[in-house]
Every structure is written in structure tokens, then in C-alpha cells.
Amino acid sequence: QVQLVESGGGLVQAGGSRRLVCTASGLPFNNFIMAWFRQAPGKEREFVAAIAWSGGRKDYAESVKGRFTISRINSNDTMYLQMNSLKPGDTAVYYCAVRPFTFATKYHEYGYWGQGTQDTVSS
């Protein structure tokens, strides 16, 4: 059974930092792309960042470039999102997602999702 479990969300002041963690288990494939998406109240789920199996390719949404860093450790199927210089506009539920083999940044291209972790940035 596939499980993606996010952790690390909480409340932080604007300008602060936080690290989100996603741990995957039960995946039926060995080579997979991991990504973070987020959804704010009343808005659609949007792409945040993605990382290839090797870690050599990464992609970020324009809104988080230079502030967020995605990374992964394949030995334990764990992905991280280091978020710095947080803004109130970053407040959202953050979701971990996985797809096999091919790099992608669109919501509908990912078939495996975690339950999400709420992150709130106060002004």
C-alpha cells in the first residue's frame, strides 16, 4: 500500500523558515519523481517544486525561487522542502506527490498524494 506522509507544518512568522518532510513507502516502482504542491483556501492546488530521482534536475514555481529548496534522500525515500523568507502568501496546505520515471510539474500528472500538512505564515 502506497503511503506518503508529510510533516513539519505549523505556524511561523513572516520572514521565518521551516522545513517540510515527506516520507514515501510501498511504492511499486524504484525510479520516481517527487514534488510539492500547495493549496491555499479558496484557490486551486499549485505546483511548488519537483525533484528527479537523481536529484540532478529540480524545478520551482516562480513564486518560491530563491527562497525554497527541494532535496531528497533516496535511501529512505524521503523528500524535504526547506522554506526560507516565508511570506503570508505562502500559507497553504502543502502536499507531497510522486509519479514514476518522467519529470512533471502539473497537478494532474501525479497519481500518488499525501494527506497534506498545514503551514501558516503570520504577518
Side-chain angles (χ1 to χ4, degrees):
Q1 181 178 358
V2 176
Q3 273 197 315
L4 300 178
V5 179
E6 304 96 334
S7 62
L11 177 63
V12 64
Q13 286 190 328
S17 298
R18 183 168 296 283
R19 188 179 77 161
L20 303 182
V21 183
C22 171
T23 302
S25 61
L27 291 171
F29 33 77
N30 293 324
N31 183 330
F32 52 93
I33 312 303
M34 300 188 82
W36 289 99
F37 289 77
R38 67 186 182 185
Q39 188 166 17
K43 295 187 178 181
E44 293 187 352
R45 194 168 298 189
E46 65 175 1
F47 170 75
V48 176
I51 184 168
W53 170 256
S54 67
R57 180 177 178 179
K58 303 176 185 179
D59 198 8
Y60 296 91
E62 285 296 325
S63 60
V64 306
K65 278 183 180 178
R67 300 189 298 123
F68 290 11
T69 302
I70 191 171
S71 60
R72 64 188 289 173
I73 299 177
N74 290 335
S75 60
N76 57 8
D77 290 340
T78 300
M79 172 177 65
Y80 304 92
L81 185 68
Q82 178 65 42
M83 306 186 293
N84 298 328
S85 302
L86 283 162
K87 306 174 182 180
D90 295 318
T91 295
V93 177
Y94 284 75
Y95 296 91
C96 169
V98 167
R99 61 171 278 122
F101 310 123
T102 309
F103 200 86
T105 61
K106 300 293 191 296
Y107 163 68
H108 65 272
E109 295 174 302
Y110 284 80
Y112 298 94
W113 292 87
Q115 292 299 307
T117 183
Q118 173 72 47
D119 199 66
T120 302
V121 184
S122 64
S123 57

